[in-house]
Amino acid sequence: MKKRSFFCLLMATFSIPLSAQCIVYPNLKGLLAQEGDTIATVCVEKRSRNQIMLTGGADYRVTTEHNESLSRRLKKRTFAVRTNQGDLYLNCRKLRYKKMRFGGWYAPAVLVGGNLYFCAVPLGSVIGGQFVPNDEVKLGGKVGDAIATSSLVNKRVCYELDSSTGKVEFLSKEKMLRLLDNHPDEKAQYLREENPDEAQYSFKYLQNIKDK
């Protein structure tokens, strides 16, 4: 009995580092299959408003300490990272929405129904126009798209990355309601939100119904 107790304790001791490791995914296929490389730890740093305004990009830097080579890989070649707390971050470096770039660095993400959803700044005058006050001058075309993005640096919306096509689409209220069809309590609560298109509301519901 003592030997068995000691063996269980030993196995538990060895399992702690394994469960605490982070997972690095090279592409969407690897993420969907839950096949990636494990590393000991990553540093997730929230970027400031000034940093985002000056250089653009997503909200989080994901790096490693004392390993510049791995940090470069995380910046330029990694598709997504799952931290040892289970949080998922998507590298926006190569992503496009209607030919517009999200920029570098990482956005919080979640898998729902086999597709990937992430939070980022509103891109394009169509999305940005939903958050710009009516008395502000709105421009069209690429100039209007850029202005909408820069003036909404603190706003976030959710996007859908379709796993079958690789295409990025805005997660509208209508799409969100379809995702919540099998979750009536969540759907009813979502409908009561004042600004359901904003990520601070929509993303929490995505987290509640995410794939296990």
Side-chain angles (χ1 to χ4, degrees):
M1 187 65 181
K2 288 183 179 180
K3 288 184 178 180
R4 183 177 179 182
S5 298
F6 175 76
F7 177 76
C8 292
L9 178 62
L10 186 64
M11 290 299 293
T13 301
F14 279 108
S15 68
I16 291 174
L18 293 176
S19 64
Q21 286 182 325
C22 303
I23 306 176
V24 175
Y25 302 100
N27 48 47
L28 177 59
K29 182 179 178 180
L31 173 62
L32 295 174
Q34 295 297 298
E35 296 176 352
D37 299 325
T38 57
I39 59 177
T41 185
V42 294
C43 302
V44 180
E45 174 191 352
K46 184 75 163 63
R47 300 178 68 219
S48 69
R49 182 178 185 275
N50 287 340
Q51 288 174 328
I52 294 172
M53 287 189 68
L54 288 172
T55 61
D59 286 321
Y60 293 90
R61 286 167 49 93
V62 179
T63 58
T64 59
E65 291 185 347
H66 315 303
N67 191 329
E68 292 185 6
S69 176
L70 182 53
S71 289
R72 286 195 298 270
R73 177 189 170 192
L74 289 170
K75 181 179 179 180
K76 296 184 178 181
R77 298 176 58 188
T78 298
F79 176 77
V81 174
R82 191 179 298 279
T83 69
N84 49 19
Q85 289 84 26
D87 297 321
L88 183 65
Y89 293 91
L90 173 67
N91 193 342
C92 293
R93 186 171 182 265
K94 295 183 178 180
L95 297 182
R96 305 286 186 275
Y97 171 70
K98 297 185 183 300
K99 298 183 179 181
M100 290 175 284
R101 299 171 181 266
F102 289 97
W105 305 116
Y106 284 76
V110 64
L111 281 167
V112 177
N115 289 329
L116 192 60
Y117 297 85
F118 63 98
C119 302
V121 295
L123 287 182
S125 54
V126 175
I127 299 177
Q130 299 180 35
F131 305 99
V132 177
N134 292 328
D135 57 352
E136 284 194 19
V137 177
K138 300 175 185 178
L139 301 178
K142 293 183 179 180
V143 175
D145 293 338
I147 291 176
T149 301
S150 62
S151 64
L152 296 169
V153 68
N154 290 325
K155 294 289 185 180
R156 297 293 178 272
V157 295
C158 286
Y159 295 88
E160 176 190 68
L161 175 57
D162 190 300
S163 60
S164 59
T165 64
K167 189 176 181 180
V168 175
E169 294 287 351
F170 170 58
L171 180 63
S172 64
K173 180 180 178 180
E174 290 72 24
K175 286 186 178 182
M176 187 70 201
L177 288 173
R178 288 197 293 270
L179 290 174
L180 295 172
D181 275 343
N182 295 326
H183 308 271
D185 292 339
E186 299 282 350
K187 186 174 184 178
Q189 188 175 349
Y190 175 76
L191 285 169
R192 290 193 293 268
E193 300 288 3
E194 184 177 353
N195 298 300
D197 283 331
E198 292 191 32
Q200 61 175 314
Y201 302 105
S202 56
F203 194 68
K204 69 179 181 181
Y205 292 97
L206 291 170
Q207 289 177 311
N208 290 342
I209 63 172
K210 67 181 179 181
D211 298 344
K212 304 300 183 183

